[in-house]
Amino acid sequence: MTMPTPLHSPTATDAPWWRHAVIYQVYPRSWSDADGDGIGDLRGITDRLEYLADLGVDALWFSPFYRSPMADAGYDVADYRDIDPLFGTMDDYDALAAKAADLGLRIIVDLVPNHSSVEHVWFRAALADGPGSEARARYIFRDGTGPGGSEPPNNWTSVFGGRAWTRVTEPDGTPGQWYLHLFDTGQPDFDWTNPQVHAEFESILRFWLERGVAGFRVDVAHGLIKRAGLPPWDGPAETRDITGPTNAAPFWDQDEIHDIYRRWRALIDEYSTPGHERIMCAEAWVTPPERAALYVRPDEFHQSFNFDYLYTPFEPAALRDVIAGSLALADGYGAPTTWVLSNHDVVRHATRYGYATTGRGALGIGPQDPQPDAALGLRRARAATTLMLALPGSAYVYQGEELGLPEHTTMPSEFRQDPTFHRTHGAVIGRDGCRVPLPWVKDAPAYGFGPGGSWLPQPASYADLAVDQQTGVKGSTLELYRTLLRLRREHSLGTGGLAWADGFGDEVVALVNTGGEGGAVTVVTNLGAEPVALPAGARVLVSSGALTGDGAVPTDTSVWFTVGAA
Ligand code: GLC
């Protein structure tokens, strides 16, 4: 091992929590079901909250639990200030928040500002009040083209497939105007040129800030502003499929969007006090990375999801590039980098890595598709997470990855609920496979998710991955996560400086995190075929898999170690 090459300077160890936090994503429908209707709920989360405190995360991000007809699993919000009865009541939320605070867990809620539900009181008024009304001007209604306005206003398509416009019936019963929905028909886009929309969302932000939330994950943060005149777009709507800059599409990443976030940042800062800083994190699927980084300028978002990292192939050069590139861009704005490998919109990383070719992959895997090598996927997923949690900045963990859960890749079509699957007539499998309810207890109905079954079927492989099968079991994925999170905290890796550890060869990603009081930690991820020896004096702290008999790091394995005095 030669002298490390610096990549990133340390952050003060007393920096605000969001600069180094590990944030756990709870998908409320699928976490734990207390009332036995087969769908997870807030009481179910409260009952088992100790599990998350024990895991060692700092904050929880909840996917939407607001009142919703569930056209897109709650990302179609009918009332931004109320809890859907499926999930419980506002009292249940307050009980959950109180217990989380007792356990030292901060709460981030999901804010969905690009669109509401068709059941939102504003949209109902827009339908009832007719063309030209004040209510209609809060959404994007336009007259149709062609004979009698029977064709949509332009050629835009929906991210979920099909056209992005739906025609309404006017109050007098005649076929009428069309409204824009970049997602499902049930998700009409707001018109963010309307000051009423701004005022309403600022009020919603205050509502949740006053309830004590630590921040917001902002849904489709790149979509709120549409180019004036709604010009035609022949390309795809799904950002993954757009080649070249995302903002070529007239509805993504338009420059004026940043004005909104500057105002929100000022508002959120009003509520921040030392030790209780409030934040917002952007879900912005934007390329090139230089454009994505604009969202974390000092007066905008605190964080933005690092989707480039999520989609990086499990290959040494690609990983090195994305780590260095992400840090350089975020550092340029004084923002922490985030790291994320899974969420409720992508194939779980234990499955993505179970193929010969890793990287972006398809949006969902079905029974007809080539099936992953589960053992390979899990082995690499553990190695990838071990690498990720050694990196400075903030990391996101998606529920179930701490159990090593794979995607449900053989779910029969009749169970699928993702609008993507239905709107593309099955051509795109969609996201149900990563949203399957968690297994808690091997020998219990629905693997202990709840007494009333599970809204999506759980694969048989979840039995042996249940929480009760892994708790206290040396080498289990759950214990690996616990150990990584404990060591990350003890060594202050979230605020550490980072440097390449040279001398391990091209097939290895090797980094030194300078850490804090706990001392520096070196992480080595071996992506080559041959085992890699550790330097003399290396003291292994944790390893994603067994080392060879002579203490070398085998293929698809990551190790954290210290060098020198303990
Ligand atoms: C975001 C959410 C996704 C949802 C979409 C529309 O991408 O993460 O689940 O379907 O926005 O709200």
Side-chain angles (χ1 to χ4, degrees):
M1 202 159 98
T2 55
M3 277 306 288
T5 316
L7 262 177
H8 166 77
S9 309
T11 309
T13 42
D14 61 354
W17 66 276
W18 52 271
R19 290 193 169 273
H20 52 82
V22 177
I23 302 171
Y24 181 100
Q25 182 188 356
V26 176
Y27 194 67
R29 300 174 80 77
S30 298
W31 207 73
S32 175
D33 175 24
D35 69 7
D37 64 354
I39 298 180
D41 45 43
L42 299 185
R43 271 204 300 124
I45 300 168
T46 306
D47 289 349
R48 286 171 154 158
L49 211 52
E50 287 81 0
Y51 168 83
L52 294 172
D54 292 347
L55 184 60
V57 296
D58 303 292
L60 311 177
W61 148 36
F62 293 107
S63 280
F65 42 46
Y66 314 109
R67 201 174 269 277
S68 164
M70 307 288 166
D72 182 24
Y75 280 96
D76 49 320
V77 180
D79 185 344
Y80 290 86
R81 298 179 184 81
D82 201 4
I83 307 294
D84 195 89
L86 264 185
F87 299 129
T89 63
M90 202 46 106
D91 285 345
D92 292 333
Y93 172 79
D94 289 338
L96 167 58
K99 186 166 172 183
D102 284 349
L103 292 170
L105 297 167
R106 297 172 200 263
I107 291 182
I108 293 175
V109 292
D110 214 314
L111 186 76
V112 189
N114 181 65
H115 44 263
S116 71
S117 158
V118 285
E119 302 276 308
H120 191 281
V121 58
W122 273 11
F123 194 76
R124 290 183 176 200
L127 291 185
D129 293 2
S133 62
E134 184 183 342
R136 226 161 244 208
R138 297 172 186 139
Y139 293 92
I140 304 180
F141 279 86
R142 294 288 184 277
D143 293 332
T145 55
S150 60
E151 292 298 319
N154 71 18
N155 67 347
W156 295 3
T157 55
S158 152
V159 175
F160 292 161
R163 48 168 64 138
W165 296 91
T166 291
R167 192 171 198 188
V168 304
T169 303
E170 299 301 354
D172 66 3
T174 57
Q177 289 192 303
W178 300 69
Y179 66 89
L180 178 73
H181 52 88
L182 291 180
F183 294 89
D184 187 65
T185 314
Q187 295 169 295
D189 283 50
F190 285 113
D191 184 345
W192 275 92
T193 64
N194 186 332
Q196 291 186 22
V197 175
H198 288 254
E200 175 62 3
F201 273 90
E202 287 167 19
S203 154
I204 293 165
L205 287 171
R206 289 186 194 279
F207 176 88
W208 287 101
L209 287 164
E210 278 157 23
R211 276 205 124 74
V213 301
F216 302 90
R217 174 264 187 190
V218 178
D219 190 64
V220 196
H222 54 310
L224 278 51
I225 299 287
K226 281 75 182 173
R227 195 174 301 154
L230 312 184
W233 169 245
D234 294 321
E238 169 58 72
T239 52
R240 298 160 40 104
D241 301 331
I242 297 175
T243 45
T246 313
N247 68 356
F251 37 82
W252 295 142
D253 190 36
Q254 302 298 299
D255 289 336
E256 299 79 4
I257 219 163
H258 294 282
D259 298 338
I260 300 172
Y261 301 131
R262 287 193 192 99
R263 278 202 292 274
W264 287 9
R265 176 63 180 263
L267 186 159
I268 283 174
D269 282 349
E270 285 174 34
Y271 290 81
S272 281
T273 52
H276 196 32
E277 295 83 4
R278 323 290 189 103
I279 70 154
M280 49 182 195
C281 176
E283 188 217 17
W285 297 88
V286 169
T287 55
E290 292 72 19
R291 288 281 309 180
L294 297 179
Y295 289 74
V296 293
R297 284 178 286 193
D299 57 350
E300 298 192 38
F301 284 90
H302 299 75
Q303 302 182 341
S304 179
F305 291 109
N306 189 347
F307 294 127
D308 285 334
Y309 186 69
L310 189 152
Y311 281 141
T312 297
F314 192 64
E315 294 168 10
L319 283 167
R320 279 194 292 267
D321 283 353
V322 74
I323 291 170
S326 305
L327 286 165
L329 278 171
D331 285 349
Y333 294 114
T337 316
T338 64
W339 310 104
V340 59
L341 291 170
S342 282
N343 65 32
H344 67 295
D345 289 329
V346 302
V347 171
R348 284 181 174 279
H349 66 285
T351 296
R352 287 204 312 276
Y353 295 152
Y355 291 92
T357 306
T358 53
R360 212 177 62 166
L363 188 59
I365 296 165
Q368 317 304 329
D369 295 321
Q371 294 297 303
D373 176 337
L376 175 69
L378 180 57
R379 180 184 179 85
R380 287 176 170 171
R382 290 168 55 117
T385 299
T386 302
L387 171 61
M388 175 178 91
L389 290 177
L391 300 175
S394 185
Y396 279 80
V397 169
Y398 175 51
Q399 69 174 46
E401 66 168 86
E402 78 279 15
L403 303 174
L405 295 189
E407 187 88 356
H408 190 341
T409 56
T410 56
M411 189 185 294
S413 300
E414 66 262 30
F415 293 107
R416 295 206 173 264
Q417 303 206 10
D418 184 351
T420 309
F421 179 81
H422 297 287
R423 290 180 63 93
T424 62
H425 309 288
V428 179
I429 295 291
R431 304 163 294 176
D432 296 298
C434 66
R435 299 175 174 181
V436 173
L438 293 190
W440 292 89
V441 181
K442 180 177 180 179
D443 295 312
Y447 301 133
F449 168 63
S454 146
W455 69 281
L456 285 174
Q458 297 157 300
S461 62
Y462 278 25
D464 288 331
L465 296 172
V467 173
D468 75 328
Q469 299 300 296
Q470 300 201 42
T471 305
V473 175
K474 200 161 177 282
S476 71
T477 305
L478 178 57
E479 293 302 334
L480 173 66
Y481 270 72
R482 285 188 176 149
T483 303
L484 293 169
L485 290 168
R486 176 176 56 76
L487 290 168
R488 179 182 164 90
R489 191 183 299 251
E490 285 173 9
H491 289 262
S492 303
L493 300 185
T495 49
L498 200 69
W500 295 121
D502 299 327
F504 287 92
D506 287 349
E507 299 300 307
V508 172
V509 176
L511 293 152
V512 182
N513 185 320
T514 58
E517 275 176 22
V521 169
T522 304
V523 56
V524 163
T525 301
N526 182 8
L527 297 112
E530 297 303 319
V532 168
L534 294 179
R539 201 170 59 91
V540 173
L541 298 174
V542 60
S543 151
S544 69
L547 302 186
T548 64
D550 51 4
V553 185
T555 186
D556 294 333
T557 302
S558 295
V559 163
W560 291 8
F561 64 88
T562 56
V563 187

